[in-house]
mmCIF file of all heavy atoms in Angstrom:
data_model
loop_
_atom_site.group_PDB
_atom_site.id
_atom_site.type_symbol
_atom_site.label_atom_id
_atom_site.label_comp_id
_atom_site.label_asym_id
_atom_site.label_seq_id
_atom_site.Cartn_x
_atom_site.Cartn_y
_atom_site.Cartn_z
ATOM 1 N N ASP A 926 20.983 7.663 16.806
ATOM 2 C CA ASP A 926 20.070 6.862 17.610
ATOM 3 C C ASP A 926 18.767 6.578 16.854
ATOM 4 O O ASP A 926 17.732 6.314 17.448
ATOM 5 C CB ASP A 926 19.762 7.547 18.951
ATOM 6 C CG ASP A 926 19.144 8.929 18.770
ATOM 7 O OD1 ASP A 926 18.910 9.345 17.607
ATOM 8 O OD2 ASP A 926 18.883 9.595 19.791
ATOM 9 N N ASP A 927 18.846 6.635 15.531
ATOM 10 C CA ASP A 927 17.692 6.384 14.674
ATOM 11 C C ASP A 927 17.958 5.120 13.866
ATOM 12 O O ASP A 927 18.919 5.064 13.081
ATOM 13 C CB ASP A 927 17.481 7.576 13.731
ATOM 14 C CG ASP A 927 16.236 7.436 12.855
ATOM 15 O OD1 ASP A 927 15.777 6.302 12.639
ATOM 16 O OD2 ASP A 927 15.718 8.470 12.392
ATOM 17 N N TYR A 928 17.140 4.114 14.063
ATOM 18 C CA TYR A 928 17.326 2.835 13.364
ATOM 19 C C TYR A 928 17.492 3.039 11.859
ATOM 20 O O TYR A 928 18.349 2.411 11.223
ATOM 21 C CB TYR A 928 16.131 1.920 13.635
ATOM 22 C CG TYR A 928 16.122 0.660 12.807
ATOM 23 C CD1 TYR A 928 16.752 -0.493 13.255
ATOM 24 C CD2 TYR A 928 15.504 0.624 11.558
ATOM 25 C CE1 TYR A 928 16.765 -1.642 12.490
ATOM 26 C CE2 TYR A 928 15.509 -0.522 10.788
ATOM 27 C CZ TYR A 928 16.141 -1.657 11.258
ATOM 28 O OH TYR A 928 16.150 -2.782 10.486
ATOM 29 N N PHE A 929 16.670 3.893 11.273
ATOM 30 C CA PHE A 929 16.654 4.045 9.820
ATOM 31 C C PHE A 929 17.870 4.806 9.282
ATOM 32 O O PHE A 929 18.062 4.879 8.076
ATOM 33 C CB PHE A 929 15.356 4.738 9.387
ATOM 34 C CG PHE A 929 14.139 3.902 9.661
ATOM 35 C CD1 PHE A 929 13.322 4.175 10.752
ATOM 36 C CD2 PHE A 929 13.818 2.833 8.847
ATOM 37 C CE1 PHE A 929 12.198 3.394 11.021
ATOM 38 C CE2 PHE A 929 12.707 2.046 9.103
ATOM 39 C CZ PHE A 929 11.892 2.324 10.193
ATOM 40 N N LYS A 930 18.677 5.359 10.175
ATOM 41 C CA LYS A 930 19.891 6.059 9.742
ATOM 42 C C LYS A 930 21.161 5.280 10.086
ATOM 43 O O LYS A 930 22.246 5.634 9.617
ATOM 44 C CB LYS A 930 19.948 7.452 10.381
ATOM 45 C CG LYS A 930 18.847 8.382 9.874
ATOM 46 C CD LYS A 930 18.925 9.746 10.537
ATOM 47 C CE LYS A 930 17.823 10.666 10.021
ATOM 48 N NZ LYS A 930 17.820 11.972 10.704
ATOM 49 N N LEU A 931 21.016 4.230 10.879
ATOM 50 C CA LEU A 931 22.179 3.443 11.266
ATOM 51 C C LEU A 931 22.625 2.521 10.137
ATOM 52 O O LEU A 931 21.802 1.968 9.407
ATOM 53 C CB LEU A 931 21.848 2.583 12.494
ATOM 54 C CG LEU A 931 21.865 3.246 13.863
ATOM 55 C CD1 LEU A 931 21.355 2.279 14.913
ATOM 56 C CD2 LEU A 931 23.262 3.733 14.228
ATOM 57 N N ARG A 932 23.935 2.353 10.002
ATOM 58 C CA ARG A 932 24.484 1.355 9.084
ATOM 59 C C ARG A 932 24.660 0.063 9.864
ATOM 60 O O ARG A 932 25.446 -0.006 10.813
ATOM 61 C CB ARG A 932 25.825 1.826 8.508
ATOM 62 C CG ARG A 932 25.708 3.066 7.637
ATOM 63 C CD ARG A 932 27.018 3.378 6.922
ATOM 64 N NE ARG A 932 28.130 3.501 7.856
ATOM 65 C CZ ARG A 932 28.419 4.606 8.543
ATOM 66 N NH1 ARG A 932 27.653 5.686 8.422
ATOM 67 N NH2 ARG A 932 29.444 4.633 9.362
ATOM 68 N N LEU A 933 23.923 -0.954 9.473
ATOM 69 C CA LEU A 933 23.926 -2.228 10.179
ATOM 70 C C LEU A 933 24.201 -3.353 9.187
ATOM 71 O O LEU A 933 24.172 -3.146 7.974
ATOM 72 C CB LEU A 933 22.571 -2.457 10.872
ATOM 73 C CG LEU A 933 22.141 -1.380 11.873
ATOM 74 C CD1 LEU A 933 20.664 -1.539 12.234
ATOM 75 C CD2 LEU A 933 23.002 -1.450 13.142
ATOM 76 N N ASN A 934 24.450 -4.548 9.710
ATOM 77 C CA ASN A 934 24.641 -5.686 8.813
ATOM 78 C C ASN A 934 23.344 -5.990 8.053
ATOM 79 O O ASN A 934 22.262 -5.544 8.443
ATOM 80 C CB ASN A 934 25.124 -6.912 9.596
ATOM 81 C CG ASN A 934 24.085 -7.390 10.604
ATOM 82 O OD1 ASN A 934 23.025 -7.887 10.244
ATOM 83 N ND2 ASN A 934 24.389 -7.225 11.890
ATOM 84 N N ALA A 935 23.450 -6.737 6.976
ATOM 85 C CA ALA A 935 22.314 -6.968 6.073
ATOM 86 C C ALA A 935 21.124 -7.594 6.794
ATOM 87 O O ALA A 935 19.976 -7.175 6.600
ATOM 88 C CB ALA A 935 22.750 -7.858 4.911
ATOM 89 N N GLU A 936 21.384 -8.572 7.648
ATOM 90 C CA GLU A 936 20.289 -9.268 8.336
ATOM 91 C C GLU A 936 19.524 -8.320 9.258
ATOM 92 O O GLU A 936 18.286 -8.303 9.269
ATOM 93 C CB GLU A 936 20.837 -10.452 9.139
ATOM 94 C CG GLU A 936 19.746 -11.246 9.844
ATOM 95 C CD GLU A 936 20.305 -12.349 10.743
ATOM 96 O OE1 GLU A 936 21.509 -12.701 10.584
ATOM 97 O OE2 GLU A 936 19.559 -12.847 11.602
ATOM 98 N N THR A 937 20.253 -7.536 10.033
ATOM 99 C CA THR A 937 19.612 -6.625 10.984
ATOM 100 C C THR A 937 18.942 -5.468 10.258
ATOM 101 O O THR A 937 17.894 -4.972 10.693
ATOM 102 C CB THR A 937 20.637 -6.101 12.009
ATOM 103 O OG1 THR A 937 21.309 -7.220 12.593
ATOM 104 C CG2 THR A 937 19.955 -5.304 13.107
ATOM 105 N N THR A 938 19.531 -5.031 9.144
ATOM 106 C CA THR A 938 18.909 -3.977 8.334
ATOM 107 C C THR A 938 17.530 -4.417 7.859
ATOM 108 O O THR A 938 16.580 -3.629 7.844
ATOM 109 C CB THR A 938 19.793 -3.630 7.119
ATOM 110 O OG1 THR A 938 21.025 -3.085 7.599
ATOM 111 C CG2 THR A 938 19.116 -2.620 6.216
ATOM 112 N N LYS A 939 17.409 -5.675 7.486
ATOM 113 C CA LYS A 939 16.138 -6.192 6.960
ATOM 114 C C LYS A 939 15.119 -6.491 8.070
ATOM 115 O O LYS A 939 13.929 -6.594 7.792
ATOM 116 C CB LYS A 939 16.383 -7.479 6.177
ATOM 117 C CG LYS A 939 17.130 -7.290 4.880
ATOM 118 C CD LYS A 939 17.371 -8.645 4.219
ATOM 119 C CE LYS A 939 18.152 -8.499 2.928
ATOM 120 N NZ LYS A 939 18.449 -9.829 2.327
ATOM 121 N N TYR A 940 15.594 -6.643 9.299
ATOM 122 C CA TYR A 940 14.738 -7.177 10.365
ATOM 123 C C TYR A 940 13.473 -6.355 10.593
ATOM 124 O O TYR A 940 12.371 -6.895 10.672
ATOM 125 C CB TYR A 940 15.552 -7.291 11.656
ATOM 126 C CG TYR A 940 14.933 -8.223 12.665
ATOM 127 C CD1 TYR A 940 15.030 -9.603 12.516
ATOM 128 C CD2 TYR A 940 14.255 -7.743 13.779
ATOM 129 C CE1 TYR A 940 14.469 -10.474 13.435
ATOM 130 C CE2 TYR A 940 13.688 -8.597 14.701
ATOM 131 C CZ TYR A 940 13.798 -9.959 14.526
ATOM 132 O OH TYR A 940 13.229 -10.818 15.441
ATOM 133 N N ILE A 941 13.629 -5.033 10.717
ATOM 134 C CA ILE A 941 12.450 -4.200 10.988
ATOM 135 C C ILE A 941 11.489 -4.219 9.809
ATOM 136 O O ILE A 941 10.261 -4.190 9.984
ATOM 137 C CB ILE A 941 12.858 -2.749 11.339
ATOM 138 C CG1 ILE A 941 11.666 -1.942 11.868
ATOM 139 C CG2 ILE A 941 13.439 -2.044 10.135
ATOM 140 C CD1 ILE A 941 11.230 -2.343 13.229
ATOM 141 N N TYR A 942 12.033 -4.305 8.599
ATOM 142 C CA TYR A 942 11.171 -4.361 7.419
ATOM 143 C C TYR A 942 10.370 -5.661 7.389
ATOM 144 O O TYR A 942 9.223 -5.683 6.941
ATOM 145 C CB TYR A 942 11.996 -4.202 6.142
ATOM 146 C CG TYR A 942 12.664 -2.856 6.038
ATOM 147 C CD1 TYR A 942 13.987 -2.679 6.448
ATOM 148 C CD2 TYR A 942 11.985 -1.746 5.563
ATOM 149 C CE1 TYR A 942 14.598 -1.442 6.380
ATOM 150 C CE2 TYR A 942 12.583 -0.498 5.485
ATOM 151 C CZ TYR A 942 13.893 -0.356 5.903
ATOM 152 O OH TYR A 942 14.501 0.881 5.840
ATOM 153 N N LYS A 943 10.976 -6.720 7.860
ATOM 154 C CA LYS A 943 10.246 -7.992 7.973
ATOM 155 C C LYS A 943 9.071 -7.847 8.935
ATOM 156 O O LYS A 943 7.943 -8.245 8.627
ATOM 157 C CB LYS A 943 11.176 -9.101 8.480
ATOM 158 C CG LYS A 943 12.182 -9.591 7.474
ATOM 159 C CD LYS A 943 13.002 -10.733 8.076
ATOM 160 C CE LYS A 943 14.013 -11.271 7.083
ATOM 161 N NZ LYS A 943 14.796 -12.404 7.649
ATOM 162 N N LEU A 944 9.354 -7.278 10.103
ATOM 163 C CA LEU A 944 8.293 -7.097 11.105
ATOM 164 C C LEU A 944 7.161 -6.218 10.584
ATOM 165 O O LEU A 944 5.979 -6.534 10.757
ATOM 166 C CB LEU A 944 8.877 -6.475 12.379
ATOM 167 C CG LEU A 944 9.507 -7.434 13.389
ATOM 168 C CD1 LEU A 944 10.152 -6.653 14.529
ATOM 169 C CD2 LEU A 944 8.477 -8.400 13.948
ATOM 170 N N ILE A 945 7.533 -5.120 9.937
ATOM 171 C CA ILE A 945 6.511 -4.198 9.433
ATOM 172 C C ILE A 945 5.705 -4.840 8.314
ATOM 173 O O ILE A 945 4.477 -4.705 8.257
ATOM 174 C CB ILE A 945 7.157 -2.883 8.948
ATOM 175 C CG1 ILE A 945 7.843 -2.164 10.115
ATOM 176 C CG2 ILE A 945 6.111 -1.965 8.324
ATOM 177 C CD1 ILE A 945 8.761 -1.042 9.694
ATOM 178 N N ALA A 946 6.388 -5.553 7.417
ATOM 179 C CA ALA A 946 5.691 -6.203 6.307
ATOM 180 C C ALA A 946 4.710 -7.257 6.818
ATOM 181 O O ALA A 946 3.566 -7.336 6.347
ATOM 182 C CB ALA A 946 6.702 -6.833 5.357
ATOM 183 N N VAL A 947 5.137 -8.048 7.792
ATOM 184 C CA VAL A 947 4.244 -9.071 8.367
ATOM 185 C C VAL A 947 3.061 -8.398 9.056
ATOM 186 O O VAL A 947 1.905 -8.810 8.882
ATOM 187 C CB VAL A 947 5.019 -9.976 9.358
ATOM 188 C CG1 VAL A 947 4.059 -10.847 10.158
ATOM 189 C CG2 VAL A 947 6.006 -10.840 8.600
#
Side-chain angles (χ1 to χ4, degrees):
D926 59 2
D927 184 337
Y928 172 89
F929 294 102
K930 293 179 180 177
L931 280 173
R932 295 188 305 277
L933 302 166
N934 64 68
E936 182 185 344
T937 307
T938 296
K939 291 177 181 177
Y940 199 77
I941 190 71
Y942 296 96
K943 287 183 179 181
L944 275 175
I945 297 167
V947 169

